[in-house]
Amino acid sequence: LVTCSVGDTVVIGLAADSGCGKSTFMRRLTSVFGGAAEPPRGGNPDSNTLISDTTTVICLDDYHSLDRTGRKEKGVTALDPRANDFDLMYEQVKALKEGKAVDKPIYNHVTGLLDPPELIKPPKILVIEGLHPMFDQRVRDLLDFSIYLDISNEVKFAWKIQRDMAERGHSLESIKASIEARKPDFDAYIDPQKQYADAVIEVLPTQLIPGDNEGKILRVRLIMKEGVKYFNPVYLFDEGSTVSWIPCGRKLTCSYPGIKFTYGPETYFGHEVSVLEMDGQFDRLDELIYVESHLSNLSSKFYGEVTQQMLKHSEFPGSSNGTGLFQTIVGLKIRDLYEQITEAKASAPLQASKA
Ligand code: ADP
Ligand code: G6P
């Protein structure tokens, strides 16, 4: 994406289907910036916004133009662009990027209604997360960096079962039916956004166990676009080479089926990318330091920062596998991007204000 520096706020887009780990990712990201994000104090208790010292995360569900009843009447899902107000989304993200506060609507997930708006002040970093951050070209052009969480159907199903059956008491059949019902709109409006992402985290069933599709052991791929300003992809051992690494030996405890890393150049939707892949999971999280020591361009502030972040949030879902590892790495990359953009503006204030 082209970085356009119109204001002071750096804007990050995070796209994924719901229930695919966006809020977990946001907790990892804000932790890298050194503060937990919380809902706005004293406001609507059903607000979807999270605010920390540096970062404001807004949920794009707030730009639903049709509430739950409206969607039902018109027969459209929340994934359908017709249920969303992209004009308002564009206007407000643009205003925030230019340093202006906005009155953002609130979609109430409890009632399914649109609540009175809340005041959002321009933060240092604005994250827009949801179903459509890269759908509308005007909004897309405002993004300084974009991420797509690409959870394969098998894994999505396993996660939904875990959450909706165990925690919400839904039946297996109803979970299957709701995934199936969303699929056509997901394929039409959500999935295509991944072609625009600067980084994609792809989550697939393991290849270490032949025929496995249980969704417990994961193969996770971090797809990083080459040539993105302020973003240098992470690499394993030797930049640009193709590498396969099974680190299970003297330094790393690996029970069945083990851990396998691969790294190398690929093409993704016609773009040159670097892909770092981890299949399997860690037995002992503190041993991650051994893996960290073999990765370069991590944008960490000190040796061991990735491992420290992972240990700090070991209770978050995905901490023992590539989902947690790559979300943490992308968090460090975003901090680095933010610092570079801020530095560039400080040294060229005139150019920045003209752009
Ligand atoms: P979202 O914000 O996209 O709706 P969450 O971060 O709340 O997603 O995650 C939804 C659920 O999906 C979690 O409660 C958990 O059950 C499951 N989940 C999310 N990320 C992972 C992961 N990396 N590994 C395993 N399960 C996960
Ligand atoms: C998606 C959207 C939500 C919406 C939900 C259910 O997950 O992100 O905003 O509430 O779908 O939609 P429904 O029309 O069933 O309320």
PDB file of all heavy atoms in Angstrom, residues 17-25 159 162-163 167 218 317-318 321 323 327, ligand 1:
ATOM      1  N   ASP A  17     -12.761 -12.724   9.457  1.00  0.00           N
ATOM      2  CA  ASP A  17     -14.118 -13.112   9.801  1.00  0.00           C
ATOM      3  C   ASP A  17     -14.254 -13.036  11.316  1.00  0.00           C
ATOM      4  O   ASP A  17     -13.246 -13.049  12.035  1.00  0.00           O
ATOM      5  CB  ASP A  17     -14.359 -14.555   9.323  1.00  0.00           C
ATOM      6  CG  ASP A  17     -15.839 -14.859   9.153  1.00  0.00           C
ATOM      7  OD1 ASP A  17     -16.684 -13.995   9.467  1.00  0.00           O
ATOM      8  OD2 ASP A  17     -16.149 -15.977   8.691  1.00  0.00           O
ATOM      9  N   SER A  18     -15.474 -12.942  11.821  1.00  0.00           N
ATOM     10  CA  SER A  18     -15.599 -12.882  13.279  1.00  0.00           C
ATOM     11  C   SER A  18     -15.282 -14.250  13.880  1.00  0.00           C
ATOM     12  O   SER A  18     -15.444 -15.283  13.240  1.00  0.00           O
ATOM     13  CB  SER A  18     -16.991 -12.402  13.686  1.00  0.00           C
ATOM     14  OG  SER A  18     -17.956 -13.233  13.132  1.00  0.00           O
ATOM     15  N   GLY A  19     -14.750 -14.215  15.095  1.00  0.00           N
ATOM     16  CA  GLY A  19     -14.337 -15.448  15.756  1.00  0.00           C
ATOM     17  C   GLY A  19     -13.029 -16.009  15.234  1.00  0.00           C
ATOM     18  O   GLY A  19     -12.732 -17.186  15.391  1.00  0.00           O
ATOM     19  N   CYS A  20     -12.229 -15.161  14.597  1.00  0.00           N
ATOM     20  CA  CYS A  20     -10.984 -15.655  14.007  1.00  0.00           C
ATOM     21  C   CYS A  20      -9.740 -15.114  14.695  1.00  0.00           C
ATOM     22  O   CYS A  20      -8.641 -15.188  14.152  1.00  0.00           O
ATOM     23  CB  CYS A  20     -10.959 -15.355  12.516  1.00  0.00           C
ATOM     24  SG  CYS A  20     -12.054 -16.450  11.604  1.00  0.00           S
ATOM     25  N   GLY A  21      -9.905 -14.549  15.865  1.00  0.00           N
ATOM     26  CA  GLY A  21      -8.735 -14.157  16.646  1.00  0.00           C
ATOM     27  C   GLY A  21      -8.349 -12.692  16.583  1.00  0.00           C
ATOM     28  O   GLY A  21      -7.240 -12.332  16.975  1.00  0.00           O
ATOM     29  N   LYS A  22      -9.254 -11.811  16.103  1.00  0.00           N
ATOM     30  CA  LYS A  22      -8.899 -10.390  16.003  1.00  0.00           C
ATOM     31  C   LYS A  22      -8.678  -9.773  17.379  1.00  0.00           C
ATOM     32  O   LYS A  22      -7.709  -9.047  17.585  1.00  0.00           O
ATOM     33  CB  LYS A  22      -9.992  -9.603  15.262  1.00  0.00           C
ATOM     34  CG  LYS A  22     -10.098  -9.955  13.789  1.00  0.00           C
ATOM     35  CD  LYS A  22     -11.045  -9.034  13.070  1.00  0.00           C
ATOM     36  CE  LYS A  22     -12.468  -9.071  13.602  1.00  0.00           C
ATOM     37  NZ  LYS A  22     -13.225 -10.291  13.349  1.00  0.00           N
ATOM     38  N   SER A  23      -9.565 -10.069  18.333  1.00  0.00           N
ATOM     39  CA  SER A  23      -9.379  -9.417  19.642  1.00  0.00           C
ATOM     40  C   SER A  23      -8.148  -9.941  20.363  1.00  0.00           C
ATOM     41  O   SER A  23      -7.465  -9.182  21.049  1.00  0.00           O
ATOM     42  CB  SER A  23     -10.623  -9.517  20.527  1.00  0.00           C
ATOM     43  OG  SER A  23     -11.412 -10.581  20.196  1.00  0.00           O
ATOM     44  N   THR A  24      -7.841 -11.219  20.176  1.00  0.00           N
ATOM     45  CA  THR A  24      -6.612 -11.762  20.767  1.00  0.00           C
ATOM     46  C   THR A  24      -5.395 -11.055  20.171  1.00  0.00           C
ATOM     47  O   THR A  24      -4.479 -10.639  20.890  1.00  0.00           O
ATOM     48  CB  THR A  24      -6.523 -13.276  20.505  1.00  0.00           C
ATOM     49  OG1 THR A  24      -7.757 -13.874  20.905  1.00  0.00           O
ATOM     50  CG2 THR A  24      -5.375 -13.897  21.267  1.00  0.00           C
ATOM     51  N   PHE A  25      -5.422 -10.887  18.869  1.00  0.00           N
ATOM     52  CA  PHE A  25      -4.340 -10.202  18.171  1.00  0.00           C
ATOM     53  C   PHE A  25      -4.194  -8.767  18.700  1.00  0.00           C
ATOM     54  O   PHE A  25      -3.082  -8.288  18.973  1.00  0.00           O
ATOM     55  CB  PHE A  25      -4.624 -10.218  16.670  1.00  0.00           C
ATOM     56  CG  PHE A  25      -3.515  -9.722  15.799  1.00  0.00           C
ATOM     57  CD1 PHE A  25      -2.262  -9.427  16.305  1.00  0.00           C
ATOM     58  CD2 PHE A  25      -3.728  -9.563  14.441  1.00  0.00           C
ATOM     59  CE1 PHE A  25      -1.241  -8.971  15.482  1.00  0.00           C
ATOM     60  CE2 PHE A  25      -2.725  -9.116  13.605  1.00  0.00           C
ATOM     61  CZ  PHE A  25      -1.487  -8.816  14.131  1.00  0.00           C
ATOM     62  N   TRP A 159     -12.451 -23.965  15.971  1.00  0.00           N
ATOM     63  CA  TRP A 159     -12.493 -22.864  16.948  1.00  0.00           C
ATOM     64  C   TRP A 159     -13.931 -22.533  17.339  1.00  0.00           C
ATOM     65  O   TRP A 159     -14.222 -22.256  18.494  1.00  0.00           O
ATOM     66  CB  TRP A 159     -11.820 -21.615  16.392  1.00  0.00           C
ATOM     67  CG  TRP A 159     -10.325 -21.739  16.311  1.00  0.00           C
ATOM     68  CD1 TRP A 159      -9.581 -22.839  16.667  1.00  0.00           C
ATOM     69  CD2 TRP A 159      -9.394 -20.763  15.849  1.00  0.00           C
ATOM     70  NE1 TRP A 159      -8.249 -22.593  16.450  1.00  0.00           N
ATOM     71  CE2 TRP A 159      -8.109 -21.319  15.945  1.00  0.00           C
ATOM     72  CE3 TRP A 159      -9.526 -19.468  15.350  1.00  0.00           C
ATOM     73  CZ2 TRP A 159      -6.960 -20.626  15.571  1.00  0.00           C
ATOM     74  CZ3 TRP A 159      -8.385 -18.788  14.993  1.00  0.00           C
ATOM     75  CH2 TRP A 159      -7.111 -19.360  15.094  1.00  0.00           C
ATOM     76  N   GLN A 162     -15.313 -25.117  19.655  1.00  0.00           N
ATOM     77  CA  GLN A 162     -14.746 -24.903  20.981  1.00  0.00           C
ATOM     78  C   GLN A 162     -15.480 -23.769  21.711  1.00  0.00           C
ATOM     79  O   GLN A 162     -15.855 -23.905  22.860  1.00  0.00           O
ATOM     80  CB  GLN A 162     -13.282 -24.537  20.781  1.00  0.00           C
ATOM     81  CG  GLN A 162     -12.448 -24.379  22.017  1.00  0.00           C
ATOM     82  CD  GLN A 162     -11.069 -23.889  21.595  1.00  0.00           C
ATOM     83  OE1 GLN A 162     -10.425 -24.448  20.703  1.00  0.00           O
ATOM     84  NE2 GLN A 162     -10.634 -22.801  22.187  1.00  0.00           N
ATOM     85  N   ARG A 163     -15.710 -22.652  21.011  1.00  0.00           N
ATOM     86  CA  ARG A 163     -16.322 -21.508  21.671  1.00  0.00           C
ATOM     87  C   ARG A 163     -17.844 -21.640  21.773  1.00  0.00           C
ATOM     88  O   ARG A 163     -18.407 -21.529  22.845  1.00  0.00           O
ATOM     89  CB  ARG A 163     -15.971 -20.217  20.927  1.00  0.00           C
ATOM     90  CG  ARG A 163     -16.495 -18.988  21.664  1.00  0.00           C
ATOM     91  CD  ARG A 163     -16.079 -17.691  21.027  1.00  0.00           C
ATOM     92  NE  ARG A 163     -16.792 -17.450  19.780  1.00  0.00           N
ATOM     93  CZ  ARG A 163     -16.707 -16.303  19.104  1.00  0.00           C
ATOM     94  NH1 ARG A 163     -15.930 -15.339  19.538  1.00  0.00           N
ATOM     95  NH2 ARG A 163     -17.366 -16.134  17.987  1.00  0.00           N
ATOM     96  N   GLU A 167     -18.871 -22.825  25.276  1.00  0.00           N
ATOM     97  CA  GLU A 167     -19.161 -21.628  26.070  1.00  0.00           C
ATOM     98  C   GLU A 167     -20.563 -21.084  25.846  1.00  0.00           C
ATOM     99  O   GLU A 167     -21.093 -20.371  26.679  1.00  0.00           O
ATOM    100  CB  GLU A 167     -18.134 -20.532  25.757  1.00  0.00           C
ATOM    101  CG  GLU A 167     -16.720 -20.918  26.194  1.00  0.00           C
ATOM    102  CD  GLU A 167     -15.659 -20.021  25.577  1.00  0.00           C
ATOM    103  OE1 GLU A 167     -15.966 -18.861  25.254  1.00  0.00           O
ATOM    104  OE2 GLU A 167     -14.526 -20.511  25.393  1.00  0.00           O
ATOM    105  N   LEU A 218      -1.523 -26.856  14.409  1.00  0.00           N
ATOM    106  CA  LEU A 218      -1.708 -25.943  13.284  1.00  0.00           C
ATOM    107  C   LEU A 218      -0.432 -25.694  12.494  1.00  0.00           C
ATOM    108  O   LEU A 218       0.668 -25.699  13.040  1.00  0.00           O
ATOM    109  CB  LEU A 218      -2.251 -24.602  13.798  1.00  0.00           C
ATOM    110  CG  LEU A 218      -3.560 -24.658  14.594  1.00  0.00           C
ATOM    111  CD1 LEU A 218      -3.929 -23.277  15.131  1.00  0.00           C
ATOM    112  CD2 LEU A 218      -4.697 -25.217  13.732  1.00  0.00           C
ATOM    113  N   PRO A 317      -5.205 -17.604  23.620  1.00  0.00           N
ATOM    114  CA  PRO A 317      -5.247 -18.706  22.659  1.00  0.00           C
ATOM    115  C   PRO A 317      -4.140 -18.572  21.612  1.00  0.00           C
ATOM    116  O   PRO A 317      -3.825 -17.471  21.183  1.00  0.00           O
ATOM    117  CB  PRO A 317      -6.641 -18.588  22.015  1.00  0.00           C
ATOM    118  CG  PRO A 317      -7.195 -17.278  22.425  1.00  0.00           C
ATOM    119  CD  PRO A 317      -6.462 -16.832  23.647  1.00  0.00           C
ATOM    120  N   GLY A 318      -3.541 -19.709  21.245  1.00  0.00           N
ATOM    121  CA  GLY A 318      -2.531 -19.722  20.196  1.00  0.00           C
ATOM    122  C   GLY A 318      -1.112 -19.472  20.673  1.00  0.00           C
ATOM    123  O   GLY A 318      -0.199 -19.343  19.864  1.00  0.00           O
ATOM    124  N   ASN A 321       1.677 -21.953  19.512  1.00  0.00           N
ATOM    125  CA  ASN A 321       1.916 -22.251  18.092  1.00  0.00           C
ATOM    126  C   ASN A 321       2.183 -20.990  17.276  1.00  0.00           C
ATOM    127  O   ASN A 321       2.345 -19.900  17.819  1.00  0.00           O
ATOM    128  CB  ASN A 321       0.755 -23.066  17.513  1.00  0.00           C
ATOM    129  CG  ASN A 321      -0.559 -22.304  17.552  1.00  0.00           C
ATOM    130  OD1 ASN A 321      -0.616 -21.116  17.251  1.00  0.00           O
ATOM    131  ND2 ASN A 321      -1.621 -22.993  17.943  1.00  0.00           N
ATOM    132  N   THR A 323       0.327 -19.125  15.497  1.00  0.00           N
ATOM    133  CA  THR A 323      -0.615 -17.989  15.511  1.00  0.00           C
ATOM    134  C   THR A 323      -0.132 -16.930  16.502  1.00  0.00           C
ATOM    135  O   THR A 323      -0.035 -15.754  16.165  1.00  0.00           O
ATOM    136  CB  THR A 323      -2.073 -18.410  15.836  1.00  0.00           C
ATOM    137  OG1 THR A 323      -2.117 -19.052  17.112  1.00  0.00           O
ATOM    138  CG2 THR A 323      -2.641 -19.345  14.790  1.00  0.00           C
ATOM    139  N   GLN A 327       1.558 -13.363  15.384  1.00  0.00           N
ATOM    140  CA  GLN A 327       0.840 -12.149  15.805  1.00  0.00           C
ATOM    141  C   GLN A 327       1.776 -11.245  16.601  1.00  0.00           C
ATOM    142  O   GLN A 327       1.761 -10.021  16.449  1.00  0.00           O
ATOM    143  CB  GLN A 327      -0.377 -12.514  16.665  1.00  0.00           C
ATOM    144  CG  GLN A 327      -1.525 -13.113  15.858  1.00  0.00           C
ATOM    145  CD  GLN A 327      -2.686 -13.561  16.725  1.00  0.00           C
ATOM    146  OE1 GLN A 327      -2.671 -13.387  17.940  1.00  0.00           O
ATOM    147  NE2 GLN A 327      -3.689 -14.151  16.099  1.00  0.00           N
TER     148      GLN A 327
HETATM  149  P1  ADP B   1     -12.595 -12.261  17.112  1.00  0.00           P
HETATM  150  O1  ADP B   1     -12.210 -11.024  17.846  1.00  0.00           O
HETATM  151  O2  ADP B   1     -12.104 -12.268  15.695  1.00  0.00           O
HETATM  152  O3  ADP B   1     -14.059 -12.555  17.173  1.00  0.00           O
HETATM  153  P2  ADP B   1     -11.297 -13.736  19.297  1.00  0.00           P
HETATM  154  O4  ADP B   1      -9.890 -13.260  19.433  1.00  0.00           O
HETATM  155  O5  ADP B   1     -12.288 -13.258  20.296  1.00  0.00           O
HETATM  156  O6  ADP B   1     -11.845 -13.493  17.805  1.00  0.00           O
HETATM  157  O7  ADP B   1     -11.270 -15.317  19.302  1.00  0.00           O
HETATM  158  C1  ADP B   1     -12.475 -16.023  19.225  1.00  0.00           C
HETATM  159  C2  ADP B   1     -12.281 -17.448  19.705  1.00  0.00           C
HETATM  160  O8  ADP B   1     -11.532 -18.171  18.743  1.00  0.00           O
HETATM  161  C3  ADP B   1     -11.507 -17.566  21.025  1.00  0.00           C
HETATM  162  O9  ADP B   1     -12.334 -17.545  22.134  1.00  0.00           O
HETATM  163  C4  ADP B   1     -10.841 -18.910  20.866  1.00  0.00           C
HETATM  164  O10 ADP B   1     -11.747 -19.923  21.230  1.00  0.00           O
HETATM  165  C5  ADP B   1     -10.610 -19.026  19.384  1.00  0.00           C
HETATM  166  N1  ADP B   1      -9.254 -18.631  19.004  1.00  0.00           N
HETATM  167  C6  ADP B   1      -8.839 -17.407  18.611  1.00  0.00           C
HETATM  168  N2  ADP B   1      -7.549 -17.402  18.290  1.00  0.00           N
HETATM  169  C7  ADP B   1      -7.119 -18.666  18.499  1.00  0.00           C
HETATM  170  C8  ADP B   1      -5.860 -19.326  18.358  1.00  0.00           C
HETATM  171  N3  ADP B   1      -4.796 -18.663  17.905  1.00  0.00           N
HETATM  172  N4  ADP B   1      -5.791 -20.632  18.673  1.00  0.00           N
HETATM  173  C9  ADP B   1      -6.874 -21.297  19.106  1.00  0.00           C
HETATM  174  N5  ADP B   1      -8.085 -20.748  19.261  1.00  0.00           N
HETATM  175  C10 ADP B   1      -8.210 -19.462  18.967  1.00  0.00           C
END
